[in-house]
């Protein structure tokens, strides 16, 4: 038994030195202090890294089909009234949505950017058509206007060319005009009045759009309904001077937000030069899946963007507005949160302690032997 213990004792890789042979130096104390501080800092850093999750990134081909895309936006137009602003979407599959009103809120802004009024019924770009004639059709060019009284005519020759004339005809019949929004004359006069009232105002629009996951565009077009009607409204001659589409993008994202996402257009602002025109953003959307530590998956998107201004002083004259053209990358990015293992953490701690201890020992030995050699040469008279 004693022989086995002696052999085991011979395997000791850490031979002990008698304390009488220890020699402590000032340089050794300084090196020890510095090494202890370094080890402490590395220990704190490694511990923090252990408690924070790491994110692994992987790229795969996007094979998803038939999905929808949610576009979240918050954009301010300081020089376009809410009455004249419409939102449209178009994609390469032929799906089109004009004058979108649902899931969108608009806020009227004064010249200083303060909110005058906020409405949730939708953005509702201005829609004004040719006047409705008595015979049921729309007023043609060169034709004399004779508006319908909606059944309240006292004779076949009677015309109602204004909202007040319709109201008076209904009053004479003893009828109640319960819904003036359905009366063409009232709708037209209300539109003109709203445009005149909101002249000089701005508009903030925010909400979301739900579109197909194919290439397309969505755009904010001021005065679209007025120009498409191709009629002459003298009270609105100010619109023929063009629109100032200066805008600020407070927020623009595709899909659900996830940790670490960067939306490059958040806070972007553009000021229109002297002439009007069309401002275009060309967006490349990258499908993204983010998986957190609990295994919960967030299907979202990232995007990159370039931009271009198309001057309006060309023929054919482009429609004024702000256009966002989007396309999709065939590559999908997958982010996965992962916790570091305890064994990996302990291994790094051992590496820190052993590494700092070894390096500090080499430095201390170099200083000690250097001082010793220098002192010996001084004693021999080589240094004075």
């Amino acid at each position: 038994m004693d022989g086995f213990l002696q052999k085991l004792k011979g395997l000791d890789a850490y031979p002990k030195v008698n304390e009488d042979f220890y020699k402590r130096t000032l340089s050794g104390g300084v090196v020890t202090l510095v090494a202890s501080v370094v080890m402490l800092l590395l220990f704190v850093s490694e511990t923090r890294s252990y408690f924070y999750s790491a994110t692994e990134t992987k790229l795969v081909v996007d094979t998803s089909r038939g999905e929808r895309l949610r576009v979240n936006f918050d954009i301010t137009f300081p020089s376009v009234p809410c009455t004249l602003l419409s939102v449209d979407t178009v994609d390469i599959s032929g799906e089109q949505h004009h004058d979108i009103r649902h899931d969108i809120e608009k806020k009227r802004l004064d010249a200083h950017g303060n909110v005058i009024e906020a409405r949730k019924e939708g953005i509702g770009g201005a829609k004004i058509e040719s006047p409705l004639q008595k015979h049921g059709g729309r007023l043609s060019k060169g034709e004399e206007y004779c508006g319908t009284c909606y059944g309240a005519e006292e004779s076949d020759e009677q015309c109602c060319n204004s909202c007040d004339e319709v109201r008076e005809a209904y009053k004479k019949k003893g009828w109640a005009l319960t819904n003036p929004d359905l009366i063409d004359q009232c709708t037209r006069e209300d539109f003109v009045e709203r445009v005149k009232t909101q002249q000089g105002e701005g508009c903030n629009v925010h909400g979301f759009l739900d579109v197909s996951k194919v290439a397309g565009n969505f755009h904010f077009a001021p005065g679209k309904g007025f120009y498409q009607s191709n009629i002459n409204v003298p009270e609105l001659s100010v619109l023929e001077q063009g629109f100032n589409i200066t805008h600020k993008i407070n927020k623009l994202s595709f899909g659900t937000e996830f940790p670490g996402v960067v939306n490059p257009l958040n806070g972007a602002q553009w000021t229109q030069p002297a002439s009007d025109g069309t401002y275009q953003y060309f967006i490349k959307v990258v499908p993204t899946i983010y998986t957190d530590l609990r295994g919960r998956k967030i299907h979202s998107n990232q995007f990159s963007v370039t931009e271009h201004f198309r001057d309006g002083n060309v023929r054919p004259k482009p429609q004024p507005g702000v256009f966002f053209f989007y396309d999709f990358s065939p590559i999908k990015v997958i982010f996965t949160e992962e916790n570091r293992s305890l064994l990996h953490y302990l291994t790094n701690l051992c590496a820190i302690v052993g590494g700092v201890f070894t390096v500090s020992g080499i430095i201390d030995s170099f200083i000690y032997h250097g001082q010793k050699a220098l002192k010996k040469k001084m004693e021999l008279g080589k240094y004075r």
Side-chain angles (χ1 to χ4, degrees):
M1 187 67 178
D2 291 340
F4 174 75
L5 295 177
Q6 288 296 327
K7 290 181 179 180
L8 187 61
K9 183 177 179 181
L11 297 176
D12 185 6
Y14 308 99
K16 311 304 183 289
V17 180
N18 194 311
E19 292 186 2
D20 295 337
F21 297 98
Y22 283 142
K23 183 178 181 180
R24 304 184 185 277
T25 61
L26 177 62
S27 61
V30 173
V31 171
T32 302
L33 180 62
V34 172
S36 300
V37 173
V38 171
M39 278 192 285
L40 178 62
L41 294 176
L42 293 177
F43 172 78
V44 172
S45 176
E46 186 65 25
T47 303
R48 290 185 60 186
S49 298
Y50 172 71
F51 285 107
Y52 284 95
S53 60
T55 302
E56 180 186 357
T57 304
K58 184 168 63 174
L59 301 178
V60 298
V61 176
D62 184 15
T63 58
S64 59
R65 294 177 297 174
E67 295 183 354
R68 305 287 294 179
L69 176 68
R70 175 170 172 149
V71 183
N72 308 294
F73 61 86
D74 183 348
I75 304 177
T76 299
F77 295 86
S79 302
V80 179
C82 289
T83 298
L84 295 175
L85 202 58
S86 66
V87 178
D88 306 315
T89 64
V90 182
D91 63 40
I92 60 174
S93 69
E95 183 178 352
Q96 301 183 17
H97 297 280
H98 299 287
D99 191 20
I100 300 173
R101 295 171 179 265
H102 55 82
D103 301 320
I104 295 176
E105 181 180 358
K106 62 179 178 179
K107 297 179 182 178
R108 292 172 55 193
L109 306 176
D110 62 18
H112 302 288
N114 301 315
V115 177
I116 301 174
E117 181 186 20
R119 292 185 178 181
K120 292 186 178 181
E121 69 271 15
I123 186 170
K127 290 287 185 181
I128 178 171
E129 300 181 275
S130 299
L132 184 65
Q133 288 282 59
K134 184 177 180 179
H135 55 67
R138 292 288 176 179
L139 178 64
S140 302
K141 191 172 184 180
E143 185 182 7
E144 185 178 352
Y145 178 46
C146 179
T148 177
C149 296
Y150 294 90
E153 298 91 346
E154 294 182 342
S155 65
D156 293 339
E157 292 76 21
Q158 182 179 356
C159 299
C160 296
N161 295 341
S162 68
C163 185
D164 287 339
E165 290 180 0
V166 176
R167 291 179 186 274
E168 186 65 26
Y170 265 60
K171 184 177 180 181
K172 289 181 179 180
K173 287 283 187 179
W175 299 348
L177 187 61
T178 57
N179 196 348
D181 291 337
L182 299 179
I183 305 302
D184 181 70
Q185 293 88 329
C186 298
T187 303
R188 288 169 50 79
E189 292 175 12
D190 178 64
F191 164 70
V192 173
E193 185 62 31
R194 280 188 290 128
V195 171
K196 293 169 65 176
T197 301
Q198 297 184 20
Q199 187 174 348
E201 294 182 1
C203 188
N204 170 264
V205 290
H206 68 273
F208 68 89
L209 302 171
D210 184 66
V211 298
S212 299
K213 194 176 177 182
V214 295
N217 77 81
F218 61 94
H219 50 270
F220 300 83
K224 181 177 180 181
F226 168 75
Y227 282 112
Q228 284 185 339
S229 61
N230 195 26
I231 62 173
N232 181 27
V233 183
E235 295 89 346
L236 303 181
S237 59
V238 64
L239 300 183
E240 298 176 0
Q241 302 173 7
F243 294 94
N244 183 351
I245 57 172
T246 295
H247 60 277
K248 180 179 180 181
I249 303 175
N250 305 305
K251 176 184 177 182
L252 181 67
S253 63
F254 295 84
T256 308
E257 299 279 342
F258 62 89
V261 64
V262 177
N263 297 314
L265 284 180
N266 285 3
Q269 188 169 356
W270 179 79
T271 302
Q272 178 175 297
S275 61
D276 64 353
T278 302
Y279 204 78
Q280 302 169 323
Y281 293 93
F282 299 92
I283 297 173
K284 179 67 74 171
V285 180
V286 182
T288 303
I289 297 179
Y290 189 93
T291 305
D292 60 17
L293 291 175
R294 298 179 179 179
R296 185 171 63 96
K297 290 186 177 182
I298 301 175
H299 293 263
S300 186
N301 302 274
Q302 305 176 84
F303 69 94
S304 61
V305 62
T306 57
E307 48 197 84
H308 172 70
F309 175 66
R310 185 180 176 190
D311 198 300
N313 295 327
V314 295
R315 290 291 180 269
K317 185 179 178 67
Q319 177 185 337
V322 179
F323 286 69
F324 297 85
F325 297 89
Y326 56 87
D327 198 359
F328 293 87
S329 168
I331 301 299
K332 177 183 291 185
V333 180
I334 299 178
F335 294 114
T336 305
E337 284 187 351
E338 293 181 343
N339 269 332
R340 297 171 59 186
S341 67
L342 179 61
L343 290 178
H344 188 269
Y345 169 67
L346 295 177
T347 301
N348 284 354
L349 289 186
C350 293
I352 289 173
V353 175
V356 174
F357 185 81
T358 301
V359 173
S360 60
I362 294 174
I363 295 175
D364 177 64
S365 177
F366 177 78
I367 295 175
Y368 174 74
H369 290 290
Q371 288 179 339
K372 188 175 181 181
L374 183 61
K375 184 177 180 181
K376 186 175 182 180
K377 290 184 178 181
M378 292 180 65
E379 291 176 352
L380 295 176
K382 293 185 177 182
Y383 293 96
R384 295 183 179 178

